[in-house]
Amino acid sequence: MTTDIALTLGILGVALLLLAFERLRTDLVALLVLLALALSGLVTPREALSGFSNPSVVTVWAMFILGVGLARTGVAHVLGRNILRISGRNSESGLIAAIMLLAAALSAFMNSSAIVAMFLPVISFVARKGGFPPSRLLMPLAFATLLGGVNTLISTLPNILVNNALEEFAGQSFRFFDFALAGLPVSLAGIAFMVLFGRHLLPKRDLAAEMQRMGRDPEALFGLEERLFVLKLPPGSPFAGKRLAESRLGRALKLNVVGIQRKGVTQPAPNSQTLLREGDELLVLGKSDWLEDLLAGQKLILENGRRKTHEQLKLDVKNLVSKQVSLMEVVLRPDSALIGQSLYQIDFRKKYNANVLAIWRERSVRTNFQDIPLRESDRLLVQASRKQLEELSSSTDFLPGDPDAVTRYGLEERLLLLAVPAGSTLDGKNLAQSELADAFGLSVLGIIRGGKTRLMPRPRERLRAGDQLVVEGKLEDVELLQAIQQLQVQEGRPPRMSDLENEQIGLVEVVVSPYSRLDGKTLRDIKFREKYDLNVLAIWRGGRAYRSNLRQMALHHGDSLLVYGDRTRIKLLSEEQDFLVLAQELQEAPKREKALISVAIMAGVVAAAGLRLLEIEIAALTGAAAMVLTGCLSMEEAQRSIRWQAIFLIAGMLPLGIALQNSGAAAYLGQWVLAQVGGWAPPLFLAALFLFSNLLAQVVPPPVVAVLVSSVVLGGGFTGQASPQALLITIALGSAMPFLSPISHPANLLVMGPGGYRFSDYTKVGLPLTLLAMLVAVVAVPFFWPAR
């Protein structure tokens, strides 16, 4: 093994591990691979950048535009509605057959995930109208787009990429419908299997129906101790006169306020600016044991403020300083990487082991600053160990501020002394569990216990009865904390969620798009409530519903969110690319007057490429331009339709295929594999190639599988086992149909939440379907492309 081979295989191995475990974004991994190859000299600079001008990459992004053009003009929606109407709604098998045939036909010319996204609201509606759980129809929809996506040259990325590999290897190319010779039998066999046998393996779950019944018997449905409660604001309640956002009810009680009953009139979905009044009855959704814990017993006693003066208690800034701990002002550098992030996003306390007591921005900001994005030259008043302050002021993010600036922040006005009384629900809890900072904006700066003050207590520090807490915060927030004990839980049957819907207010299911930029971010990170003024009541993931601590829960692709609020706000949400709203009436109206034009454009692309009047990339690019010029799409819509992550992934990985060939790594791997399987019969060898490509595609993006396996097979001397066309078609079929996992393809992920599927559901249905596809492929492929 030469050094170049070892280096190439090392880069390949690291890339596959990073892609499989998703430690980094796939497009970033591809760019790092490109740089590693160029810097190591395994490819020339021209070869390293050749992927961006490769005809297959141009074809891919042009096809994204063409597919969205068909969707935007309503072609697929009209076809779907009519075919579903003709198929009837009383036969599950008839519906599955109609859905799969239609989706498979469309996926020959459109992106699979775009078809699923387009049909999700339609099929969910048809399912419930016909009395079928959506879980019986949505997985067949997703699988049909994968089965049909192997039938044309432009239907899926692996097809485009193996065609590119054939051109580079043999100077030939596949014709437009060559893939259908083997792909069509596989598609029809797969659809027949799902209609006759596979549907019996599908679960019977209906997320939306269960959510609508959540007020009746949620324990039986979800195993959760949650329901609707009614809380009454008594006379003289400090909550009266406060806006809902100022009340901190959501953060403190971890409850969603979904309605307000006032003088016999119910106001559903109050917004954050709604004023509370004495006697209001708040309809809240949350966890009963958490509510009982908050209402049971006094949490804290205020020992200064309006009852005693600071001088009497000697509570001032000196209480925050010791031999080990001090205060310092630091200034954010103009080139700091922290600009634009909030203290919460930075996790400042954990990262720097320091408390931020205030931010100076033309004036002192002393409360509710945890979620404020930092700006250049912001001044932060920080409490930390003297050693930590020295390191902080000399870091790449901060400069030392004014050493005498502490007094101008006016901290004395916000320093409070709170006592933990006997019987307090906080006794025995640690500071993190008390949630004083997050729920009430009260920062615990020190604990006085046994006459000794412990500054900067850790989040794990447990509170004890008799402790005195030195706290920075507003007196009004402490009064709100105490006012929680005055809230009255009303007896009787509360209204159901369905009673809180009307023409203006709605309850809808929203899916986090597989291409969303929000993966890994929490609702708090994206300021969901503040931005959309909507309530997220539950998140459905992995076959179960979550309704607690949603604000802190990281979102993931395919999550289903149960969203409640004003329909006009939900309409705005539906226009965001990060979310897919599953409500037909809220979908953007298609340009149906352009439908025939978009069909004619796509037909022209197919004819030009199929008859070889134009190269496929030129035909696709011409069609994309025609979609914009004829008004089927705006230029902005065309640009948004391109999945740039996929483009960078392909462009970055193509040079790795070149390196495998140039370094001799492909021949090295090929010789090793041939030594193991060289004596196998061609059908058995093709079956192994199909399964290898398919299993690899479960954890690695299918386009990467197509590029890498094609390079090894063509460069490794496998053409003695089968013709190059047969090998490449088999690779394309195997990598384009990853049925076994929800995360293996965006189409699978899109239906996971709305269908209420678990990971095991995909394996249970997908494994026999994969084996059937393999058997049909190994019969059809050698028949049409026999070995020479």
Side-chain angles (χ1 to χ4, degrees):
M1 181 186 298
T2 66
T3 303
D4 283 355
I5 292 176
L7 193 55
T8 302
L9 294 180
I11 293 173
L12 171 62
V14 172
L16 290 177
L17 287 174
L18 289 173
L19 290 169
F21 290 101
E22 298 181 333
R23 304 298 297 179
L24 297 173
R25 286 172 50 118
T26 56
D27 48 354
L28 178 58
V29 172
L31 289 179
L32 291 176
V33 167
L34 183 155
L35 290 172
L37 294 171
L39 294 174
S40 62
L42 292 171
V43 296
T44 66
R46 182 180 294 275
E47 289 172 330
L49 299 176
S50 62
F52 292 98
S53 60
N54 190 286
S56 62
V57 174
V58 176
T59 304
V60 168
W61 64 255
M63 290 311 303
F64 280 134
I65 296 174
L66 284 167
V68 172
L70 288 175
R72 188 69 187 87
T73 55
V75 173
H77 185 272
V78 171
L79 287 173
R81 185 181 60 189
N82 290 331
I83 289 180
L84 291 175
R85 177 176 55 81
I86 294 170
S87 68
R89 291 179 182 149
N90 298 320
S91 167
E92 182 184 77
S93 58
L95 267 176
I96 291 176
I99 289 168
M100 294 193 73
L101 286 170
L102 173 64
L106 288 173
S107 63
F109 308 99
M110 294 177 62
N111 179 266
S112 297
S113 54
I115 296 170
V116 173
M118 191 165 41
F119 280 138
L120 261 176
V122 178
I123 291 177
S124 297
F125 171 79
V126 169
R128 291 175 188 125
K129 192 85 170 177
F132 305 111
S135 62
R136 307 288 291 176
L137 304 179
L138 293 181
M139 190 180 290
L141 167 67
F143 284 180
T145 63
L146 303 186
L147 287 166
V150 296
N151 288 317
T152 67
L153 179 59
I154 62 172
S155 55
T156 189
L157 300 184
N159 288 10
I160 296 172
L161 294 170
V162 298
N163 180 64
N164 180 72
L166 182 63
E167 288 180 341
E168 293 182 352
F169 177 77
Q172 304 173 18
S173 63
F174 290 109
R175 291 173 297 180
F176 193 86
F177 288 106
D178 275 354
F179 290 88
L181 296 175
L184 190 58
V186 170
S187 301
L188 294 176
I191 293 171
F193 167 80
M194 290 299 298
V195 172
L196 298 175
F197 306 105
R199 65 187 178 92
H200 299 295
L201 303 175
L202 294 167
K204 294 181 179 180
R205 301 190 195 103
D206 188 346
L207 170 61
E210 290 175 350
M211 287 296 187
Q212 289 172 1
R213 296 195 300 268
M214 69 184 172
R216 299 178 186 175
D217 190 13
E219 291 84 4
L221 288 170
F222 301 108
L224 301 175
E225 300 172 357
E226 299 176 1
R227 61 184 178 91
L228 276 171
F229 296 91
V230 179
L231 297 179
K232 186 173 182 178
L233 271 59
S237 172
F239 290 119
K242 298 281 186 185
R243 290 183 173 86
L244 190 57
E246 297 171 334
S247 72
R248 294 182 177 272
L249 283 171
R251 290 188 181 186
L253 299 182
K254 297 182 181 177
L255 302 174
N256 268 309
V257 180
V258 296
I260 297 177
Q261 292 181 338
R262 181 178 295 161
K263 295 180 179 180
V265 178
T266 299
Q267 177 187 348
N271 61 44
S272 58
Q273 300 304 308
T274 299
L275 285 173
L276 301 176
R277 299 178 185 173
E278 293 182 4
D280 279 352
E281 295 182 341
L282 310 181
L283 307 178
V284 296
L285 179 67
K287 205 169 186 180
S288 58
D289 60 348
W290 174 253
L291 180 61
E292 291 166 3
D293 181 57
L294 279 169
L295 298 180
Q298 196 171 21
K299 296 173 76 71
L300 294 167
I301 296 174
L302 180 66
E303 295 199 340
N304 72 332
R306 291 175 183 159
R307 291 197 289 266
K308 295 183 180 181
T309 66
H310 295 297
E311 288 73 23
Q312 285 176 305
L313 289 165
K314 297 181 180 179
L315 189 62
D316 57 25
V317 174
K318 295 178 182 177
N319 292 81
L320 307 180
V321 177
S322 67
K323 290 182 179 180
Q324 292 80 29
V325 178
S326 186
L327 303 178
M328 176 184 283
E329 182 186 68
V330 293
V331 183
L332 200 63
R333 290 177 178 268
D335 58 347
S336 170
L338 306 182
I339 292 174
Q341 300 183 65
S342 67
L343 297 175
Y344 168 76
Q345 291 170 325
I346 298 167
D347 198 358
F348 195 95
R349 172 65 193 263
K350 184 176 181 181
K351 182 174 182 178
Y352 295 105
N353 197 23
N355 287 326
V356 177
L357 308 186
I359 297 176
W360 187 272
R361 187 181 287 174
E362 299 177 356
R363 62 181 181 84
S364 178
V365 182
R366 295 168 295 191
T367 55
N368 301 327
F369 53 74
Q370 288 293 323
D371 293 318
I372 298 176
L374 296 177
R375 299 178 187 170
E376 178 184 338
S377 301
D378 272 351
R379 295 174 177 269
L380 279 58
L381 184 62
V382 178
Q383 179 195 41
S385 68
R386 296 180 186 273
K387 179 181 178 182
Q388 188 64 35
L389 288 175
E390 184 178 343
E391 293 178 0
L392 189 65
S393 62
S394 59
S395 70
T396 57
D397 292 310
F398 296 100
L399 295 168
D402 184 352
D404 301 320
V406 175
T407 55
R408 80 173 180 220
Y409 284 86
L411 286 183
E412 290 87 351
E413 302 171 11
R414 300 297 180 100
L415 289 182
L416 304 170
L417 191 64
L418 305 178
V420 181
S424 170
T425 55
L426 295 181
D427 186 9
K429 289 186 176 181
N430 61 40
L431 280 175
Q433 292 170 332
S434 76
E435 299 195 79
L436 291 172
D438 184 48
F440 296 97
L442 303 172
S443 299
V444 179
L445 307 179
I447 298 177
I448 302 174
R449 180 181 295 161
K452 296 182 179 179
T453 301
R454 179 179 298 178
L455 296 178
M456 290 194 64
R458 296 182 180 276
R460 296 191 299 272
E461 180 77 26
R462 293 197 175 276
L463 300 175
R464 301 177 187 172
D467 283 349
Q468 291 179 305
L469 311 182
V470 180
V471 171
E472 183 201 13
K474 294 166 63 177
L475 185 60
E476 291 81 358
D477 288 333
V478 177
E479 292 173 342
L480 291 178
L481 171 61
Q482 295 174 325
I484 287 176
Q485 277 78 46
Q486 302 172 16
L487 294 173
Q488 301 168 356
V489 179
Q490 298 296 96
E491 299 297 330
R493 186 183 182 89
R496 299 192 303 268
M497 282 302 301
S498 57
D499 298 329
L500 300 177
E501 292 187 78
N502 55 39
E503 292 182 359
Q504 290 78 38
I505 305 299
L507 185 69
V508 300
E509 190 180 344
V510 177
V511 179
V512 180
S513 165
Y515 304 106
S516 173
R517 301 158 295 179
L518 306 181
D519 187 59
K521 295 183 179 180
T522 65
L523 293 172
R524 178 178 177 177
D525 288 336
I526 64 176
K527 295 181 171 57
F528 186 92
R529 172 69 171 166
E530 294 84 349
K531 183 176 181 180
Y532 301 108
D533 213 2
L534 296 168
N535 278 322
V536 177
L537 305 186
I539 296 176
W540 187 275
R541 176 187 299 162
R544 63 160 292 190
Y546 298 84
R547 294 204 216 126
S548 301
N549 298 322
L550 300 184
R551 196 164 169 265
Q552 312 294 342
M553 189 173 175
L555 299 176
H556 294 302
H557 296 142
D559 282 350
S560 276
L561 281 56
L562 189 69
V563 175
Y564 176 67
D566 191 296
R567 294 185 189 275
T568 59
R569 307 296 300 178
I570 297 173
K571 175 68 175 175
L572 292 176
L573 183 66
S574 70
E575 296 173 2
E576 297 279 353
Q577 285 196 309
D578 293 311
F579 299 103
L580 177 64
V581 177
L582 303 189
Q584 288 192 82
E585 68 275 12
L586 295 174
Q587 299 296 310
E588 188 175 4
K591 301 177 181 178
R592 288 180 179 158
E593 69 280 5
K594 302 287 186 180
L596 291 178
I597 296 175
S598 66
V599 170
I601 291 171
M602 178 58 84
V605 171
V606 172
L611 297 174
R612 300 199 173 185
L613 301 176
L614 294 172
E615 295 294 331
I616 180 61
E617 63 273 13
I618 300 301
L621 193 55
T622 303
M627 285 286 187
V628 175
L629 290 173
T630 57
C632 296
L633 287 175
S634 68
M635 194 63 191
E636 290 72 22
E637 289 173 325
Q639 291 171 344
R640 288 198 304 267
S641 70
I642 301 172
R643 305 297 184 191
W644 291 109
Q645 187 172 359
I647 300 303
F648 276 84
L649 174 65
I650 297 169
M653 296 304 291
L654 283 173
L656 183 54
I658 296 173
L660 286 169
Q661 300 284 347
N662 293 349
S663 66
Y668 178 85
L669 288 175
Q671 290 167 7
W672 182 85
V673 174
L674 281 174
Q676 314 303 316
V677 301
W680 289 11
L684 188 60
F685 176 79
L686 290 177
L689 182 61
F690 180 99
L691 285 179
F692 176 77
S693 302
N694 187 267
L695 293 175
L696 191 58
Q698 308 298 329
V699 292
V700 175
V704 176
V705 176
V707 170
L708 298 182
V709 179
S710 297
S711 299
V712 172
V713 166
L714 295 180
F718 288 91
T719 51
Q721 300 292 113
S723 68
Q725 290 86 348
L727 294 171
L728 293 173
I729 290 285
T730 303
I731 293 168
L733 290 172
S735 60
M737 293 187 288
F739 302 122
L740 303 179
S741 160
I743 61 173
S744 58
H745 196 281
N748 292 349
L749 198 57
L750 263 176
V751 300
M752 187 179 188
Y757 298 118
R758 300 186 178 97
F759 195 102
S760 58
D761 293 328
Y762 289 85
T763 306
K764 182 165 61 175
V765 182
L767 182 58
L769 182 57
T770 299
L771 294 176
L772 175 64
M774 178 200 70
L775 291 174
V776 175
V778 298
V779 172
V781 170
F783 179 80
F784 290 107
W785 291 281
R788 296 176 183 175

